[in-house]
Amino acid sequence: MNGIEGMNGIAGVNGIAGMEGLDPVATFCGNCDCGCPQLFVDPAAPAERRVILTDDFGQRVQMSADQFSSLVADAKSGKLDGITTA
């Protein structure tokens, strides 16, 4: 387990179309009411699709906890810093 699984203690997002049963982990931005990108865990999904990242355009990306951990490691190491200046 990579710390992503087992987030069942956080309230889900029932009532939002297509988001039933997901456990919210983080909201990015959160300073507005515009539908900020969010990170969720789907405890019922297959392991390779358990982590879900949504954007404010209604799109979503599903990945495994290992893939997400790799993304976080790249961000922490500075590998993704150039994206913010592009």
Side-chain angles (χ1 to χ4, degrees):
M1 234 180 259
N2 287 319
I4 299 299
E5 300 176 68
M7 300 292 292
N8 294 333
I10 300 173
V13 288
N14 295 322
I16 299 174
M19 304 297 274
E20 297 84 9
L22 301 183
D23 294 335
V25 176
T27 298
F28 307 100
C29 174
N31 297 326
C32 59
D33 217 7
C34 61
C36 299
Q38 291 182 279
L39 180 66
F40 298 93
V41 171
D42 183 351
E48 66 274 6
R49 298 177 56 174
R50 190 151 298 154
V51 178
I52 301 170
L53 181 62
T54 64
D55 69 11
D56 49 344
F57 301 107
Q59 303 297 310
R60 66 195 228 169
V61 174
Q62 292 177 267
M63 64 188 84
S64 69
D66 286 339
Q67 290 169 318
F68 182 71
S69 293
S70 176
L71 178 67
V72 170
D74 284 350
K76 285 181 177 181
S77 74
K79 196 173 197 178
L80 306 178
D81 288 353
I83 293 172
T84 61
T85 59

mmCIF file of all heavy atoms in Angstrom, residues 59-78:
data_model
loop_
_atom_site.group_PDB
_atom_site.id
_atom_site.type_symbol
_atom_site.label_atom_id
_atom_site.label_comp_id
_atom_site.label_asym_id
_atom_site.label_seq_id
_atom_site.Cartn_x
_atom_site.Cartn_y
_atom_site.Cartn_z
ATOM 1 N N GLN A 59 -12.927 16.599 -17.128
ATOM 2 C CA GLN A 59 -12.128 15.454 -17.543
ATOM 3 C C GLN A 59 -11.554 14.763 -16.306
ATOM 4 O O GLN A 59 -11.462 15.360 -15.248
ATOM 5 C CB GLN A 59 -10.975 15.910 -18.445
ATOM 6 C CG GLN A 59 -11.440 16.658 -19.665
ATOM 7 C CD GLN A 59 -12.290 15.791 -20.574
ATOM 8 O OE1 GLN A 59 -11.908 14.674 -20.912
ATOM 9 N NE2 GLN A 59 -13.438 16.293 -20.975
ATOM 10 N N ARG A 60 -11.134 13.513 -16.475
ATOM 11 C CA ARG A 60 -10.488 12.813 -15.365
ATOM 12 C C ARG A 60 -9.461 11.824 -15.873
ATOM 13 O O ARG A 60 -9.585 11.291 -16.965
ATOM 14 C CB ARG A 60 -11.514 12.146 -14.461
ATOM 15 C CG ARG A 60 -12.301 11.033 -15.042
ATOM 16 C CD ARG A 60 -13.495 10.743 -14.157
ATOM 17 N NE ARG A 60 -13.628 9.338 -13.876
ATOM 18 C CZ ARG A 60 -14.436 8.849 -12.995
ATOM 19 N NH1 ARG A 60 -15.186 9.636 -12.273
ATOM 20 N NH2 ARG A 60 -14.509 7.571 -12.794
ATOM 21 N N VAL A 61 -8.452 11.625 -15.061
ATOM 22 C CA VAL A 61 -7.376 10.676 -15.345
ATOM 23 C C VAL A 61 -7.385 9.657 -14.220
ATOM 24 O O VAL A 61 -7.452 10.024 -13.049
ATOM 25 C CB VAL A 61 -6.005 11.398 -15.386
ATOM 26 C CG1 VAL A 61 -4.877 10.397 -15.536
ATOM 27 C CG2 VAL A 61 -5.989 12.425 -16.502
ATOM 28 N N GLN A 62 -7.327 8.383 -14.579
ATOM 29 C CA GLN A 62 -7.279 7.322 -13.585
ATOM 30 C C GLN A 62 -5.929 6.633 -13.682
ATOM 31 O O GLN A 62 -5.421 6.410 -14.781
ATOM 32 C CB GLN A 62 -8.408 6.321 -13.831
ATOM 33 C CG GLN A 62 -9.780 6.927 -13.571
ATOM 34 C CD GLN A 62 -10.885 5.956 -13.898
ATOM 35 O OE1 GLN A 62 -11.398 5.963 -14.998
ATOM 36 N NE2 GLN A 62 -11.225 5.131 -12.921
ATOM 37 N N MET A 63 -5.342 6.337 -12.520
ATOM 38 C CA MET A 63 -4.028 5.701 -12.489
ATOM 39 C C MET A 63 -3.896 4.847 -11.233
ATOM 40 O O MET A 63 -4.695 4.948 -10.315
ATOM 41 C CB MET A 63 -2.929 6.760 -12.540
ATOM 42 C CG MET A 63 -2.903 7.679 -11.329
ATOM 43 S SD MET A 63 -1.765 9.065 -11.472
ATOM 44 C CE MET A 63 -2.765 10.223 -12.367
ATOM 45 N N SER A 64 -2.856 4.049 -11.223
ATOM 46 C CA SER A 64 -2.584 3.230 -10.042
ATOM 47 C C SER A 64 -1.902 4.076 -8.968
ATOM 48 O O SER A 64 -1.379 5.160 -9.246
ATOM 49 C CB SER A 64 -1.672 2.052 -10.414
ATOM 50 O OG SER A 64 -0.369 2.526 -10.723
ATOM 51 N N ALA A 65 -1.892 3.561 -7.766
ATOM 52 C CA ALA A 65 -1.193 4.249 -6.670
ATOM 53 C C ALA A 65 0.301 4.338 -6.970
ATOM 54 O O ALA A 65 0.943 5.341 -6.652
ATOM 55 C CB ALA A 65 -1.449 3.529 -5.343
ATOM 56 N N ASP A 66 0.871 3.327 -7.616
ATOM 57 C CA ASP A 66 2.288 3.360 -7.981
ATOM 58 C C ASP A 66 2.571 4.457 -8.999
ATOM 59 O O ASP A 66 3.566 5.176 -8.891
ATOM 60 C CB ASP A 66 2.744 2.008 -8.540
ATOM 61 C CG ASP A 66 2.883 0.941 -7.463
ATOM 62 O OD1 ASP A 66 3.015 1.303 -6.270
ATOM 63 O OD2 ASP A 66 2.859 -0.251 -7.814
ATOM 64 N N GLN A 67 1.689 4.602 -9.994
ATOM 65 C CA GLN A 67 1.866 5.666 -10.981
ATOM 66 C C GLN A 67 1.756 7.037 -10.315
ATOM 67 O O GLN A 67 2.541 7.940 -10.605
ATOM 68 C CB GLN A 67 0.824 5.549 -12.096
ATOM 69 C CG GLN A 67 1.048 4.361 -12.996
ATOM 70 C CD GLN A 67 -0.132 4.122 -13.913
ATOM 71 O OE1 GLN A 67 -1.286 4.218 -13.516
ATOM 72 N NE2 GLN A 67 0.170 3.796 -15.161
ATOM 73 N N PHE A 68 0.797 7.184 -9.417
ATOM 74 C CA PHE A 68 0.635 8.452 -8.713
ATOM 75 C C PHE A 68 1.854 8.741 -7.838
ATOM 76 O O PHE A 68 2.343 9.867 -7.796
ATOM 77 C CB PHE A 68 -0.640 8.467 -7.869
ATOM 78 C CG PHE A 68 -0.862 9.764 -7.167
ATOM 79 C CD1 PHE A 68 -1.213 10.895 -7.870
ATOM 80 C CD2 PHE A 68 -0.676 9.861 -5.798
ATOM 81 C CE1 PHE A 68 -1.400 12.106 -7.225
ATOM 82 C CE2 PHE A 68 -0.858 11.065 -5.142
ATOM 83 C CZ PHE A 68 -1.227 12.196 -5.866
ATOM 84 N N SER A 69 2.379 7.722 -7.176
ATOM 85 C CA SER A 69 3.573 7.899 -6.350
ATOM 86 C C SER A 69 4.757 8.362 -7.188
ATOM 87 O O SER A 69 5.550 9.204 -6.750
ATOM 88 C CB SER A 69 3.919 6.591 -5.630
ATOM 89 O OG SER A 69 2.928 6.278 -4.688
ATOM 90 N N SER A 70 4.871 7.847 -8.405
ATOM 91 C CA SER A 70 5.934 8.271 -9.310
ATOM 92 C C SER A 70 5.752 9.734 -9.704
ATOM 93 O O SER A 70 6.727 10.506 -9.742
ATOM 94 C CB SER A 70 5.926 7.381 -10.559
ATOM 95 O OG SER A 70 6.883 7.815 -11.491
ATOM 96 N N LEU A 71 4.526 10.153 -9.962
ATOM 97 C CA LEU A 71 4.230 11.545 -10.279
ATOM 98 C C LEU A 71 4.593 12.462 -9.117
ATOM 99 O O LEU A 71 5.227 13.510 -9.300
ATOM 100 C CB LEU A 71 2.746 11.688 -10.625
ATOM 101 C CG LEU A 71 2.230 13.074 -10.941
ATOM 102 C CD1 LEU A 71 2.838 13.595 -12.229
ATOM 103 C CD2 LEU A 71 0.716 13.058 -11.042
ATOM 104 N N VAL A 72 4.241 12.060 -7.915
ATOM 105 C CA VAL A 72 4.564 12.848 -6.722
ATOM 106 C C VAL A 72 6.081 12.939 -6.541
ATOM 107 O O VAL A 72 6.611 14.012 -6.250
ATOM 108 C CB VAL A 72 3.886 12.256 -5.466
ATOM 109 C CG1 VAL A 72 4.405 12.894 -4.190
ATOM 110 C CG2 VAL A 72 2.369 12.419 -5.553
ATOM 111 N N ALA A 73 6.775 11.827 -6.732
ATOM 112 C CA ALA A 73 8.239 11.833 -6.595
ATOM 113 C C ALA A 73 8.883 12.782 -7.614
ATOM 114 O O ALA A 73 9.800 13.534 -7.273
ATOM 115 C CB ALA A 73 8.790 10.418 -6.759
ATOM 116 N N ASP A 74 8.383 12.765 -8.846
ATOM 117 C CA ASP A 74 8.903 13.681 -9.867
ATOM 118 C C ASP A 74 8.649 15.130 -9.476
ATOM 119 O O ASP A 74 9.512 15.991 -9.652
ATOM 120 C CB ASP A 74 8.277 13.391 -11.226
ATOM 121 C CG ASP A 74 8.836 12.152 -11.896
ATOM 122 O OD1 ASP A 74 9.854 11.608 -11.406
ATOM 123 O OD2 ASP A 74 8.253 11.716 -12.909
ATOM 124 N N ALA A 75 7.473 15.407 -8.942
ATOM 125 C CA ALA A 75 7.151 16.779 -8.514
ATOM 126 C C ALA A 75 8.056 17.215 -7.367
ATOM 127 O O ALA A 75 8.590 18.333 -7.372
ATOM 128 C CB ALA A 75 5.681 16.869 -8.101
ATOM 129 N N LYS A 76 8.261 16.333 -6.402
ATOM 130 C CA LYS A 76 9.105 16.666 -5.248
ATOM 131 C C LYS A 76 10.562 16.896 -5.652
ATOM 132 O O LYS A 76 11.241 17.725 -5.051
ATOM 133 C CB LYS A 76 9.037 15.552 -4.194
ATOM 134 C CG LYS A 76 7.747 15.550 -3.416
ATOM 135 C CD LYS A 76 7.766 14.440 -2.375
ATOM 136 C CE LYS A 76 6.530 14.441 -1.522
ATOM 137 N NZ LYS A 76 6.569 13.382 -0.499
ATOM 138 N N SER A 77 11.017 16.180 -6.665
ATOM 139 C CA SER A 77 12.415 16.307 -7.085
ATOM 140 C C SER A 77 12.653 17.529 -7.975
ATOM 141 O O SER A 77 13.796 17.840 -8.307
ATOM 142 C CB SER A 77 12.864 15.051 -7.825
ATOM 143 O OG SER A 77 12.289 15.010 -9.134
ATOM 144 N N GLY A 78 11.580 18.208 -8.359
ATOM 145 C CA GLY A 78 11.710 19.393 -9.204
ATOM 146 C C GLY A 78 11.607 19.100 -10.685
ATOM 147 O O GLY A 78 11.689 20.008 -11.507
#
